[in-house]
Amino acid sequence: MRAAPANPPIYNIEKIRGDFPALQELMRGKPLAYLDNAATTQKPQAVLDVIQNYYVSSNANIHRAVHLLAQRATEAYESAREKTRQFLNAERASECVFVRGTTEAVNLAANAYARPRLKPGDEIVVSAMEHHSNIVPWQLVCQATGARLRVIPMNNRGELIMEEYEALLNEKTQIVSVVHVSNALGTVNPVREIGRMAHEHGAVFMVDGAQAVQHMRVDVQELNADFYAFSGHKLYGPTGIGILYGKHEHLESMEPYEGGGEMILSVSFEKTTYNDPPHKFEAGTPNIAGAAALEAALDYVMSLGVERIAAHEKRLLEYAHETLSFNRRVQLVGTAAEKASVISFVMDSAHPHDIGTILDSDGVAIRTGHHCAQPAMERLGVPATARASIGLYNTTEDIDALARSLNKVAEIFG
């Protein structure tokens, strides 16, 4: 095992780890090395406090009543929307729609934007490394409209083949929807270039940013994305809250995805008039506490600086790749030149689930399986991988614990 990097720390990692109660827990009597951040991140105390405080001092429904609790709840909800606008550098807060997470965001765009517009023979382009959440909604739209789903291939390193992507684009291409960072491989896709090429052919461009916003600065205006989606729980916020960013002109032209309270201006049995975006897409009582806690998570990340977080994680990713290279039984899956956060691997004779079980006995938490990216696994010739994924609070000690436990796996299955 090599020595830890001698570079000065980018931030006070011990202080930061102290902000996360879960990291103080022992797992099976051992310190927790939490390396499953691509599945969900742990939450800082500041986020947990906001959730509790909301229910203690601001619990009311929003946009409807004039009493003080309702005013507080509404202010917290809309303040979170404005903070999201700042975080993404959206032009307007109204371009940020609250949803349950990335999955609902893609389904909203697919059903409210794409389905009414597509016709037989139209084409939707996705990539070979997509999460199922950015495949299945488009398949359903294709079944309903007669459109065709086309796939950008990738090479053995887990990188999209851009020449093949260019060849896919034509006058039938209506939508291109790709992942910013692969959850299974860690590949960082050239989304700005992908979007530029999509727009040159008149297509609408959507980005699944579930694995990106916590690792790098995202500017939706700079990317010129028509839609961008992310989940709060992968960004140190709570589950059940996420964002669909959409350009104003698109949201304005879209029909509602769901009907109910809040998304209307007036209702009669003869006719209903819909509310303006984003409220048009937020039917019913939303996750108000989740939105307020998302703002706290964004504040936390922004206070550290996304660029500093990215630099810290880049060091750890390099350290992990070098450290694991000493174990000849470990074979990395996904070796793109541009990567973020994820180390996916397999081992001779040891099934990923066995790897995960042994690591768990040592207090090391990773993910095993196909990671809801079965087409990517099939393309690379593996049914499943073990995946370690890095967050802002991880350390070289976490990587060392991973490496020691993998040595144990090699001995057991030797």
Side-chain angles (χ1 to χ4, degrees):
M1 195 174 299
R2 78 183 187 95
N7 300 351
I10 292 170
Y11 43 60
N12 187 336
I13 191 67
E14 290 307 317
K15 179 179 182 302
I16 287 169
R17 288 178 65 83
D19 292 338
F20 291 81
L23 299 183
Q24 317 312 313
E25 298 289 321
L26 294 179
M27 293 294 144
R28 306 193 187 281
K30 297 180 181 179
L32 171 64
Y34 186 78
L35 293 167
D36 194 19
N37 294 286
T40 195
T41 53
Q42 298 303 326
K43 320 307 173 191
Q45 189 64 51
V47 169
L48 303 176
D49 288 345
V50 165
I51 296 172
Q52 181 177 19
N53 290 341
Y54 167 78
Y55 285 113
V56 169
S57 63
S58 303
N59 182 38
N61 219 321
I62 58 171
H63 297 149
R64 296 178 175 92
V66 296
H67 60 77
L68 182 57
L69 287 178
Q71 292 174 29
R72 289 176 181 171
T74 300
E75 287 170 3
Y77 189 72
E78 293 303 333
S79 176
R81 198 189 308 276
E82 169 58 23
K83 184 56 58 73
T84 303
R85 183 204 68 76
Q86 296 172 23
F87 185 72
L88 294 177
N89 192 34
E91 184 178 359
R92 313 180 188 194
S94 61
E95 294 178 319
C96 300
V97 180
F98 284 117
V99 290
R100 294 195 311 272
T102 307
T103 298
E104 186 178 24
V106 177
N107 277 276
L108 172 54
N111 285 281
Y113 181 84
R115 187 184 288 235
R117 290 166 172 78
L118 296 183
K119 60 184 184 301
D122 286 342
E123 295 181 352
I124 301 170
V125 175
V126 298
S127 85
M129 64 179 69
E130 299 305 320
H131 189 281
H132 296 165
S133 295
N134 201 34
I135 299 174
V136 179
W138 302 114
Q139 288 178 326
L140 293 171
V141 167
C142 287
Q143 291 171 13
T145 64
R148 178 187 180 194
L149 191 69
R150 308 200 69 187
V151 181
I152 310 169
M154 66 180 180
N155 62 25
N156 292 333
R157 291 167 55 88
E159 299 164 323
L160 296 183
I161 304 173
M162 294 297 286
E163 297 82 2
E164 297 285 343
Y165 168 55
E166 185 174 17
L168 285 176
L169 296 171
N170 58 67
E171 69 281 357
K172 298 178 182 179
T173 308
Q174 301 299 314
I175 295 167
V176 175
S177 186
V178 298
V179 67
H180 197 157
V181 176
S182 165
N183 74 303
L185 307 172
T187 304
V188 180
N189 284 321
V191 290
R192 187 178 292 102
E193 179 68 5
I194 293 171
R196 181 190 65 77
M197 295 167 68
H199 287 144
E200 285 180 352
H201 287 78
V204 163
F205 178 51
M206 180 167 189
V207 184
D208 170 357
Q211 300 292 339
V213 290
Q214 64 273 49
H215 301 301
M216 61 189 66
R217 187 179 69 86
V218 172
D219 184 327
V220 291
Q221 293 191 72
E222 183 182 7
L223 288 178
N224 197 19
D226 294 290
F227 296 100
Y228 195 100
F230 73 87
S231 301
H233 73 98
K234 298 179 189 295
L235 186 60
Y236 310 97
T239 57
I241 194 74
I243 293 291
L244 173 66
Y245 159 82
K247 287 183 178 178
H248 176 77
E249 59 266 31
H250 297 320
L251 297 180
E252 188 73 24
S253 69
M254 290 159 56
E255 292 296 302
Y257 177 41
E258 298 177 308
E262 182 59 25
M263 50 74 66
I264 52 84
L265 289 177
S266 66
V267 176
S268 71
F269 286 112
E270 291 72 36
K271 181 181 179 181
T272 292
T273 304
Y274 303 129
N275 208 338
D276 296 325
H279 309 296
K280 180 165 61 172
F281 307 107
E282 295 177 0
T285 299
N287 184 356
I288 308 166
L294 175 61
E295 178 174 12
L298 295 176
D299 280 334
Y300 189 88
V301 168
M302 292 166 75
S303 71
L304 289 180
V306 179
E307 290 83 0
R308 294 169 72 204
I309 293 169
H312 170 76
E313 293 177 345
K314 183 174 185 291
R315 285 186 188 179
L316 280 184
L317 187 64
E318 292 171 351
Y319 180 71
H321 278 192
E322 291 187 33
T323 301
L324 296 188
S325 69
F326 285 98
N327 189 328
R328 289 177 294 176
R329 303 291 296 278
V330 172
Q331 177 186 344
L332 296 180
V333 178
T335 55
E338 295 294 328
K339 284 191 63 174
S341 172
V342 169
I343 309 105
S344 227
F345 59 92
V346 293
M347 296 182 71
D348 293 345
S349 304
H351 190 278
H353 294 316
D354 294 325
I355 297 171
T357 300
I358 294 171
L359 266 60
D360 177 59
S361 70
D362 288 335
V364 180
I366 66 165
R367 192 73 154 199
T368 63
H370 54 64
H371 316 297
C372 295
Q374 286 179 294
M377 298 291 104
E378 182 178 354
R379 164 61 184 83
L380 295 173
V382 292
T385 68
R387 181 190 70 189
S389 49
I390 294 166
L392 64 83
Y393 39 59
N394 285 122
T395 65
T396 54
E397 287 78 13
D398 292 331
I399 304 303
D400 291 341
L402 170 67
R404 286 193 299 271
S405 203
L406 290 178
N407 287 338
K408 182 189 294 187
V409 174
E411 292 173 4
I412 292 173
F413 289 92

